[in-house]
Structure formats: C-alpha cells, structure tokens
Amino acid sequence: MKSLKLIGLAFGASIALSSAAFAQDVTIAVAGPMTGTESAFGRQMKNGAEMAVADINAAGGVNGKKLALNVEDDACDPKQARSIAEKIAGAKIPFVTGHYCSSSSIPASEAYADGNVLEITPASTNPLFTERKLWNVARVCGRDDQQGLIAAQYIAKNFKGKNIAILNDKTTYGKGLADETKKALNKAGITEKMYESYNKGDKDFNAIVSRLKRDNIDLVYVGGYHQESGLILRQMRDQGLKTILMAGDALADKEYASITGPAGEGTLFTFGPDPRNKPTAKKIVDAFKAKNIDPEGYTLYTYAAMQVWSQAAKKAGTTDAKKVMEAMKAGKWDTVIGPIEYDAKGDIKQLDYVVYKWDAKGNYAEIKGSGT
C-alpha cells in the first residue's frame, strides 16, 4: 500500500513537472485560410510554420524556452480575421505569422497593435499593410506596386500593340494588384481595352468571356485568386479563345493546375524568385520532401517569417513584441529564402519579382530575364 502511494506521488510529481515545463513554452501563432477557397495557401502556411517550430525547438528553442504553435483559421474573411486577432492578443501571444489575404491582414493588424502582438505576413502584398505607420507589422514577401510593375513591364515588352484587358475581384488584394498593374501599364503608354470587375466566389464568367471575345483580347490580366482565375481560363477555352491569362502570386499553387487541367498551359503569373531553388533552402526543401510535402508558394516564406522572429527575439533577449520589432528593423537575418533586412515601414529591402509560366503537365517555371 505504501509503495502504491509512493508510485502515486511520483506520478503526480512527474505530471506537475511536465505541466510546469509546458507552462514555460512560448506560444506563437500562424493564422490564415485553413478552410475555404484559399485553403491551399493556408495549408502552405501551416506546413511552413510547423516545420519551422520543430526545427527551432530542435536547436534549443528561443531564449531557453520551447515554442508551441497555435493554428488559427480566418477563411480569408476580414471579420473572422479580426476576431482571431483579438483572441490571439487576449491570450498574450507575442507573435503571429499571418495572414494570407490582405483583406484579413489589414484589419487584424490593428487588433494586434492594440494587443502588443508582432505580425509578420508571409503573403499579404497590398501596400496598405505597411503604409499605416503601425509599429507591429512586417512582411517577408513583396508588395503589389512591385509585382504590378514587373507584370506591366513584361506585358509592354511581349504584347506591344496587342489588345489588353484587366479584371479584378474587388478584394483588397485583387483590386489593389490590378490597379497597380494598370497604373504601370498606362505609364508605359499602354491603355487597356477593357477594365472589368467580378465578385470573388463567382463561378460563371461567360458574360465577361464574351466581352473578351468581342474585343479580340490577346492578354487578360486578372487581379484575383486562383479559383476564379482557373474558371475564367477554362471558360475562355470553352468559347474557343486563345487569350493568354496573366495574374499575380495567388496562382503559386498546383491547385490552379487541378482546376484548369492541360488548358492552363501558357498561363503567366508574378512571384518572387522560387526559394526552393536557392542554396539556402536545400536542407529544408529536402526535409519537406522527406515528408512528401512540396514546399511551394508561401511555405518557405512562412518558415522564413518564423526564422526572422526567432532570431530577433534571441537578439533582443526577450519575446516582448516591441523590443523584438526594434531588433528586427535594426538587423539582418539569415533565412531559408535568403538574407532579409527591413526598412522603417516593415517592408523587406531586397525582394525581386519574376514572371512564371504554367505548362501542360501542371508545373510552373520562371521565365529567365523576366525580373527586375
């Protein structure tokens, strides 16, 4: 009986110790569209965050503490994103990598600022995210005024004298990117023949496609997400149009090819230089592939966001958001996507955009010489 009591006491002590150890963990978060039409990108973010946390913990954690990851789903809905941000702030979580959609990142960032949470987005490219003088925002991706310029330069060079149309889905990301591309095209002396909007979530684009056909459009630039872009492409081909479709970084997932099939061949999009091909990424890419995960799109960008924060927190000697942000903006950080430095706004100083092309087999490759 005495031995049973001792065993019980020992078991209770071990539980107490493990609970105490767990209580010492630093909880951080990843927030993005884990469900909904953009869930392919939420999956990329989750994969990147989980691998980064595992690797950081294996290397000793941050300031002597292990990291615990909280995964939150905003479904790319602004209201849901704001609610998640308030929840994360209320839990006193010091850092979040997110969100994916600019229309989520922007309202969420305000709640994070009020709640002393540092936010690094791996994917939100709308300039407004870093233009409101908030202390707590940064990104590891580029901006729409950068990729819109690259798209316009490519169009001006390769489709000179052709009929151009511009579409947008009315979202913060889609309209913002379409407008930046239009502005850069107009500055280059090219006036689009058609500028039209649709609603994110639309499935029937036959009326728009009929207009593209009527106006003999050679290239249609789509400011929007991969689901609608894929449907527009399919419906163009159904009506016999050979019009080239070009879009932004929201096409950087193989789900686009699953929507279009072989018809997606020739589709163009802008994105940063593929980090999977960088020497800095080889070890991490191999680790992902060992798990049968292709770290495409924003997977490695999310991993890099975690690296920046963890290195800056070590440099600052604390996870306090404001002190970590001060360290971030003062330093240079080695990441899986290459070295990162920040300007005063929280934008990175050294990202280029390039143009990619999809092939008939559902793969995309960079068009050499298409960047800055």
Side-chain angles (χ1 to χ4, degrees):
M1 192 73 175
K2 186 176 179 181
S3 61
L4 285 175
K5 285 183 179 179
L6 286 171
I7 291 169
L9 287 169
F11 180 73
S14 68
I15 292 293
L17 284 170
S18 63
S19 297
F22 181 77
Q24 293 300 311
D25 285 352
V26 175
T27 300
I28 57 176
V30 57
M34 305 302 159
T35 61
T37 57
E38 311 312 323
S39 61
F41 292 95
R43 181 178 65 251
Q44 291 177 5
M45 293 170 66
K46 182 174 180 285
N47 287 339
E50 287 178 342
M51 179 75 84
V53 165
D55 289 348
I56 291 166
N57 283 341
V62 174
N63 299 331
K65 296 181 180 181
K66 295 296 180 75
L67 301 180
L69 183 65
N70 185 26
V71 179
E72 295 289 350
D73 175 25
D74 67 7
C76 267
D77 176 78
K79 290 182 180 178
Q80 194 164 321
R82 173 80 192 204
S83 177
I84 285 170
E86 290 171 353
K87 173 185 172 184
I88 288 172
K92 300 194 181 306
I93 292 172
F95 165 65
V96 58
T97 179
H99 296 229
Y100 171 69
C101 292
S102 293
S103 56
S104 291
S105 287
I106 291 170
S109 64
E110 296 163 1
Y112 292 136
D114 291 341
N116 201 39
V117 180
L118 192 160
E119 177 187 9
I120 303 178
T121 177
S124 294
T125 52
N126 189 281
L128 189 61
F129 178 72
T130 49
E131 290 289 344
R132 292 161 301 145
K133 298 181 179 179
L134 292 179
W135 67 269
N136 67 317
V137 295
R139 50 181 141 212
V140 292
C141 57
R143 293 166 44 128
D144 290 335
D145 46 1
Q146 294 170 316
Q147 68 170 324
L149 175 61
I150 294 301
Q153 289 175 345
Y154 184 87
I155 293 168
K157 180 180 178 181
N158 295 280
F159 293 85
K160 187 176 181 180
K162 302 293 186 179
N163 294 326
I164 309 298
I166 300 175
L167 307 178
N168 78 82
D169 65 358
K170 303 179 186 177
T171 67
T172 305
Y173 163 73
K175 188 174 188 307
L177 181 54
D179 287 348
E180 291 292 348
T181 304
K182 171 181 162 59
K183 183 167 66 175
L185 272 175
N186 295 165
K187 191 174 180 179
I190 297 173
T191 301
E192 69 282 358
K193 195 166 184 179
M194 171 182 166
Y195 185 94
E196 188 65 67
S197 299
Y198 60 88
N199 294 309
K200 188 175 185 303
D202 282 353
K203 302 251 185 320
D204 184 355
F205 297 97
N206 283 301
I208 287 177
V209 170
S210 294
R211 285 193 60 194
L212 295 173
K213 190 172 185 178
R214 182 196 68 194
D215 291 345
N216 296 312
I217 298 300
D218 297 292
L219 180 140
V220 56
Y221 184 87
V222 180
Y225 293 92
H226 69 297
Q227 295 274 1
E228 292 78 18
S229 296
L231 292 175
I232 291 168
L233 188 283
R234 280 176 49 185
Q235 289 169 38
M236 286 198 304
R237 299 296 180 261
D238 288 346
Q239 288 200 34
L241 270 73
K242 295 183 179 179
T243 304
I244 299 295
L245 186 144
M246 186 176 192
D249 53 315
L251 264 59
D253 188 274
K254 285 182 179 159
E255 196 170 280
Y256 175 76
S258 72
I259 296 168
T260 64
E265 181 180 11
T267 296
L268 306 170
F269 69 97
T270 46
F271 191 53
D274 194 336
R276 292 175 297 181
N277 299 330
K278 294 188 176 184
T280 51
K282 186 179 187 311
K283 182 179 177 182
I284 307 304
V285 169
D286 288 346
F288 273 112
K289 288 183 176 178
K291 293 177 175 287
N292 294 316
I293 295 171
D294 179 4
E296 65 176 333
Y298 285 105
T299 307
L300 296 178
Y301 283 81
T302 306
Y303 190 103
M306 292 284 189
Q307 286 180 302
V308 169
W309 175 82
S310 64
Q311 290 174 43
K314 290 176 186 177
K315 183 74 173 178
T318 178
T319 56
D320 177 78
K322 290 183 179 177
K323 291 179 180 177
V324 174
M325 180 58 89
E326 288 174 7
M328 274 175 53
K329 290 182 177 178
K332 184 175 182 178
W333 314 104
D334 293 324
T335 79
V336 68
I337 63 173
I340 286 178
E341 290 181 272
Y342 285 99
D343 63 17
K345 295 176 182 177
D347 289 317
I348 61 174
K349 295 180 179 180
Q350 64 276 32
L351 183 89
D352 296 325
Y353 274 98
V354 294
V355 179
Y356 291 82
K357 181 185 283 190
W358 282 96
D359 64 23
K361 295 180 179 179
N363 300 305
Y364 58 81
E366 176 185 334
I367 299 173
K368 300 300 181 183
S370 61
T372 52

